[in-house]
Every structure is written in C-alpha cells, then in structure tokens.
Amino acid sequence: MNMATNTAETIGDNHQTVGTPFVDNAKLSMRNVNVFYGEKQAIFDVGMDIGTNEVMAMIGPSGCGKSTFLRCLNRMNDTIEGCRVEGDLNLEGEDIYGAKLDVVPLRARVGIVFQKPNPFPKSIYDNIAYGPRIHGLVSKRTELDEIVETSLQKAGLWNEVKDRLDAPGTGLSGGQQQRLCIARTIAVSPEVILMDEPCSALDPIATAKIEELIAELSENYTIAIVTHSMQQAARVSNRTAYFHLGKLIEVNETEKVFTNPDHQLTEAYITGRFG
Amino acid sequence: MNSNKPSTIDLVNRNLQKRYRAEKRFQIFGIASIGFGLLCLLVLFTDIVSKGAGAFTSHYIQLTVNLDPDDLDITDITDESQLALADYQGVVRKALRDKFPDVKKRGDRRKLYGLVSNSAGFRLQEILKNDPEKLGEQLTLWVLADDDIDTYAKSKNDAEPFTGRLNDKQIGWVNTLLDSGEMQSRFNRVLFTSGDSREPEMAGIRGALLGSLYTLLVTLVLSFPIGVAAAVYLEEYAPKNKFTDFIEVNINNLAAVPSIIYGLLGLAIFINFFGMPRSIPLVGGLVLTLMTLPTIIISSRAAIKSVPPSIRQAALGLGASKMQVILHHVLPLAMPGMLTGAIIGMAQALGETAPLLMIGMVAFIVDIPQSIMDPATVLPVQIYLWSDSPERAFTERTSGAIIVLLAFLILMNTIAVLLRRRLERRW
Ligand SMILES: Nc1ncnc2c1ncn2[C@@H]1O[C@H](COP(=O)(O)OP(=O)(O)OP(=O)(O)O)[C@@H](O)[C@H]1O
Ligand SMILES: [Mg+2]
C-alpha cells in the first residue's frame, strides 16, 4: 500500500508515456482516454495505437486498469453500471464512442475473449453458429456448416470435436472451452480480437496451444491481449504496454520491454519487484 | 518444546470426533424434521381418504319399471310439455310397490318410496327423451338409492351403523335388497358428471372442477406473461433509482397482503366499476391474477438474477442486442425458475377461497359452466359449502372433493416437475 502511493507520486499527474505508443498503420488509436467508475477514476489520460495485424500485450500489476482499458475498445464497459469513458477512441478513423456508432456492428468487428471460458449452454455447433446467425451472415445451412468448420479449424479444435458437434459446449475441458470461445469470436470474422487473460484458467499444454493459435491468428487479425504472464507476453506479442495504477507507463517493442525497458517502473515490474 | 503439549495430529483427531458427532446431530435433526413432516402428511391423508373414500361409490337399486303411457299420462310422445310434466315419480313408485307387494299401509308406503332418490324420475324422463320408442316397454334399470339409505348401507357392517331418520322397516327392506343383490354399491359417476345439488346423492363436483379449471386458465394466461414481462423490465431495463426501489418494496408488500383484500378490490373494480357479472370464472381469474402476480414477479426476478453474468457478457461481446441476449439466453436459462414460481402461484390460486367469496363465486350453482362467462364455483369453495351441510352424505363428499383437489394439485405439481426437468437440461 505504502509503495503504491509512493510510486503514484513518482509518476506524477502529468506524466508522459515513454517509448513508442504511436504507430503509422494504426488499426485502433486511442487518445486522452479517461475512465471512471462512478467518482473513482480507473484510467488516467492513456494514449496509444494498436497497429494493423499487430499483437499488443498489456501487462501490469493487478488492478492497474488493463481489463478496464481493454473493455473500452469494443464498448463492453457500456454494460457496467456507473462506468464512464472519456477521450478519443478510433477504429480505422471511426469514433468508437461516437453518437452515430452502433455497438452491435462494432462488437462484430471487435470481438472479445474473456478470462474464464464462457461457452453458451448449447451445443458446440450452436455456440459457433450463434454470432453468424444473429448478424445474418449466412442464408443457407451449408454456409453455416462451413463457417463452423473453418472457425473450429482456425481455433485448432476441429479434430477434437468434429464427431460431436451436437454435444454441449460446456462439456468440454477448460482449454477446449476457451478455444471454443475463440472459435465463436472468429466465426463473425472480426477485424480485432481482444483477449483478457485468456490462458489464466488453463494448464501449460492448453496455454501453449492457445499461444500457437494467437501466433497464427495474428496473420489476419489485430489482437490485444491482457496477460499476467510475462513469458506469454514475450512469446506472442509484437509490442507490449505497461500499465501502472491506471496510467500507461511505457509502450515498446516487446523485446525491448523485457530486455531494456525505458522506465524504471517497467523494470521494477518485469524483474518481479512488485505485481 | 513442551513434551506435555499434545501434537497437532492428536488435537485434530480429538476435534474430529467432536465434528463427527456434530455432523451426526445435524443429520438426525434433518431426518427428524422430514419424518415429522411425513407423519403429518400421512395422518392428513389417511384421515381424508378414510372419510372420503366412500364418496367414490354409491348404492344403486334395481327396479323393473313399466313405461306405461297411461300411468305416465302421456298421450302424444312428440309433445315436449307432456314429456316434461309426465308422472315419472308414479311409475317409479309403482315399481317399488311391485317389489314389496306386502307393504300396504300409506305411511309405510311413503317410507318405501323414500328408498330411491328423486333422480330416478329424471332418469326415466331422459330415457324417453332420447328414445321415444321405449314408451310402453318394460325396463330393468339401476337407480340411485336415497342418500340416507346409501349411508346406512355403507356403514351397515360398522360397530355403530348410521340409521339417521330410517325406521326398522326401511332397514329391513334395505337388508333384503342387499341380500338378494338387488341393491349394489357401484362407482359414483354422479360425483364427476353433475353439478351441485341439495340432494347429496345427486351432488357432484364437475361444476366446481370446471370452474376451478376456467379460473386457473384465466389466471395463468394473464399472470404468467404479465409477471415475466414485469420481471424482465425491472431486472434488465429499469434504471436503479428511488422509483424502482419504491416499486420493489410495493411488490414485496403485495405478496403478503391477505387474499381477501384482493377479493374486495376485485369486487370494487371488476364488478362495481366495470360492471362485469358476478360469480364468473373470468372475474375470479382476474382477482387471482392480482393475487399471484407478486409471487410470479418475485420468483421470475430471482430466476433472471441467477443467470450467470458470463453468459450475458459472451452474448453481448458477440454483438447481440439487449433484446437478443434476453430472448436467446436469459429467458431460456431462467425459464425453469419462472415456471416454478408460476406453479407455486397457481397452486396457491387453486386453493384460494376467501377472495372468490367476495366476488360471488360462493353461490349455489347447479349448472355446469360452459365458458369463463358462466356462473361457477370452484373446488375449495365447493368444499367449504358442503362442509357446512348437515347431511352425513355431504360430510363424505366433502372429503371426496378434498381428495379430488389434492389429486389436482399433485397432477399440477408433477407436470411442473416434469416440465422443469425438460427445460433444465443445463448440459
Ligand atoms: N465494475 C467496477 N466497478 C467499480 N470499480 C471497478 C470495476 N471494475 C474495476 N474497477 C476498479 O477499476 C480498477 C481497474 O480494474 P481492472 O479490472 O481494469 O484491473 P486489471 O488491471 O484488469 O486487474 P487484474 O489484473 O487483477 O484483472 C481497479 O481499481 C478496480 O477496483
Ligand atoms: Mg483484469
């Protein structure tokens, strides 16, 4: 507690994010983002870009606002009572919080995978088919079958479940469920996938599979991933953002963050002095 | 350190014994509670069944009647008024006199006529109406015995047979008939095919049963959709402010309001203000809807609340609209809980008497209701009415009606459990 207040003072009120928060080919660009839960501010003046087909890792101590920030990117914060977001957030130049924007297509473009696997209590097939159905992406059953198959294949789950598509999604193992959730998210062909600690409930083997999957997906999708595992961040991401007490301290090439960070707080965190 | 100090494992073991004993006590307490409940249920059931079983049979007497046109006073069979006014009673009496030719005195004869129920005459009228060809023929048929006779015949072998106002001669005749097989106990069809009557042997619960059915139907059709819609709005859409808090407090209050007050409300609004007729299942159903709504709203809200937030998040994250989340995920998952609430509400409504008294469903109604607009009574009110009647046969029928009510309840709850199990396939 003591240290937390000390470090807050070291950041200061008008701190500058160090490193390279902005890029040229930005898919998502955020400027001066502030997020409040009621009176309490959780995110302070964060600005950064996430490049097209980039994997951006977000790390930081518990409670620093990683999930809060991630949820801003497809307006999942709207579902939280008392949560208020200020600032400019753009998806390919479109204002995410603009009055004209409809969250339904936004969330189809920016999908999210949660920390705990949360398949619907329906069959594996219906889990994947739900998104395409509600968005009216297909008109024929065969097209839907195809989407289900390719999504499961991309999520590396097809071979394990192809014979039991009618079995309940909740009957799969934790790792399989999480891959099912990823397949469900990519079934609507989003441009961006947000992942909030997608491997925290999984064993090392399942985690390795998901990490492999992220590497494959990054060829076609833009991915923002929150993680507590620095090894994971180092393995999967191109750039890494370090958050601290609601402030964005540093954004840099992943390799640089883990070998030679620009900010002392980042260094303190990655060397395990707190977190 | 200290060798006297017991080791941790000893302490744990000592404690373990205590814990086991506590657990045992806890279990025994639970078993005792269930045992007590079952015992009460058993006492209730044996009492009601032993009292009410007799209601499902009644005694019939075999008569050979002569449908003589002269005796009946019918000259033209196609004339409806002649058919209605014909002297069926006389024909029945003649048949009785033929059975006991030795009975000559007028007083005795009157007692003899009292053996069979008045319904015998109506039976003959019906037969002739359906088949005029029968005029002039001789028929052998089984007619209902009078209720006192029936009660005596049923209690004949008891330590203290019921005799009521019967005299020894009548008892003698009954015994003769029973011995010769001309009087027999049969399934009491009347109980399930007739409405109420002043004569116990002719009284049935069909009217009340249908009245209950219509009333419950109205209640279910109105209260379930309204209750669920209110619950969905309050849970999913309503802003959390003073006003919704106020509504919540009031709904909880309404659930505890004595039911008779709903009856008064129904009387004031539906009958006095809107001018709807009294005693009809529609008004009964409306009143019971008011009464069951709070129950359904409260249980539906609890069911909606128990839907895991992760499911909502998943659907919202895929871009489902709020309504899609509710229709595709929240309602299907909450449905078993909502149904339970609805069934509890319906069961309450089925057993409710007080509010229905207020809107006139306590009237003596012989006709069987054909729709929700016909005057009717309901099972619990029928039970209340019969339990108030002095005739011994009505006591029996009261318990019989209670058995039917319980069977109705068990049926409803069984359907509910089955329905729940089907919907609850939570994977
Ligand atoms: N629904 C909420 N209502 C109020 N405050 C919240 C809510 N969600 C988060 N917060 C607060 O906002 C801050 C940031 O929380 P957030 O969940 O974003 O942290 P995090 O970095 O994701 O932490 P973790 O790594 O533990 O998941 C915390 O102080 C938290 O208490
Ligand atoms: Mg988090």
Side-chain angles (χ1 to χ4, degrees), chain A residues 66-68 71 115 196-197 226 228:
Chain A
K66 306 179 295 290
S67 301
T68 303
R71 283 198 301 263
Q115 178 171 2
D196 193 350
E197 302 181 39
V226 170
H228 272 147

Side-chain angles (χ1 to χ4, degrees), chain B residues 227-262:
Chain B
V228 168
V232 166
Y233 181 78
L234 286 174
E235 261 329 298
E236 302 282 344
Y237 289 101
K240 302 270 172 291
N241 57 24
K242 288 257 161 53
F243 183 65
T244 41
D245 285 350
F246 175 75
I247 290 181
E248 168 144 22
V249 168
N250 273 293
I251 289 175
N252 291 341
N253 271 344
L254 285 178
V257 164
S259 58
I260 191 142
I261 293 179
Y262 289 105

Side-chain angles (χ1 to χ4, degrees), chain B residues 171-184:
Chain B
I171 289 171
W173 296 327
V174 170
N175 286 338
T176 321
L177 287 173
L178 282 171
D179 290 343
S180 68
E182 284 167 290
M183 181 165 168
Q184 279 178 8

Side-chain angles (χ1 to χ4, degrees), chain B residues 362-405:
Chain B
V362 71
F364 173 74
I365 292 154
V366 177
D367 291 330
I368 290 164
Q370 301 297 325
S371 75
I372 56 171
M373 298 304 288
D374 289 343
T377 182
V378 292
L379 270 176
V381 174
Q382 187 70 73
I383 289 167
Y384 164 74
L385 285 171
W386 281 354
S387 69
D388 227 19
S389 303
E391 287 93 340
R392 177 77 181 251
F394 268 132
T395 317
E396 192 178 72
R397 277 164 178 75
T398 306
S399 296
I402 293 174
I403 293 175
V404 173
L405 181 71

